[in-house]
Amino acid sequence: MDEKTCATCGRRIEWRKKWARDWENVRYCSDACRRHKPSDTDRALETAIVELLDQRAAGKTICPSEAAKQVGGDGWRDLMEPSRKAARRLVDAGMIEITQQGHVVDPSTAKGPIRLRRT
């Protein structure tokens, strides 16, 4: 089966037998992701991540919280998970990679603090 990534959260979609006839149309990993499609704030987070990385030297990283702070101001903490989702979507687009302790990690399974850098 072709590997797919959720259009909302950026995590890998696990193939399910019930999707066998309609696999090419599956875009979301869950009902929750289907209900919460990427919004203007999510797009602003993606843009902020790319802009912040463009300002850094090649190979340098940023924390997703930097993008959340740029977009959310004082309410940035509420944007931490959306910022991580934006990062996973950018990984799927081939624009960035997610690292932990300097090593590239699978965005679908990464837990704990992460850093973002250009590919």
Side-chain angles (χ1 to χ4, degrees):
M1 281 293 126
D2 294 332
E3 204 169 274
K4 289 189 174 204
T5 304
C6 178
T8 298
C9 70
R11 288 191 169 100
R12 188 174 44 253
I13 298 175
E14 299 294 331
W15 185 84
R16 297 178 188 155
K17 187 174 180 180
K18 69 179 185 176
W19 291 338
R21 282 185 249 144
D22 200 31
W23 180 243
E24 57 278 346
N25 295 321
V26 173
R27 296 192 59 224
Y28 305 101
C29 65
S30 66
D31 289 335
C33 283
R34 186 177 298 105
R35 284 189 301 270
H36 181 282
K37 295 177 177 83
S39 65
D40 291 340
T41 301
D42 296 316
R43 299 210 193 316
L45 286 165
E46 291 175 10
T47 301
I49 290 169
V50 171
E51 288 174 355
L52 287 165
L53 286 170
D54 285 345
Q55 295 169 6
R56 302 285 165 94
K60 298 296 180 184
T61 64
I62 65 165
C63 179
S65 66
E66 294 177 54
K69 289 174 185 174
Q70 183 173 317
V71 172
D74 291 337
W76 69 271
R77 291 186 196 283
D78 293 337
L79 293 179
M80 277 305 298
E81 184 54 30
S83 183
R84 290 172 69 102
K85 288 179 181 180
R88 288 192 296 264
R89 288 192 300 272
L90 290 171
V91 167
D92 186 51
M95 298 177 71
I96 68 169
E97 53 194 11
I98 295 177
T99 64
Q100 286 183 318
Q101 298 179 350
H103 302 288
V104 176
V105 295
D106 180 356
S108 293
T109 58
K111 297 198 183 327
I114 60 172
R115 302 288 295 178
L116 314 175
R117 73 176 173 209
R118 282 285 202 176
T119 52

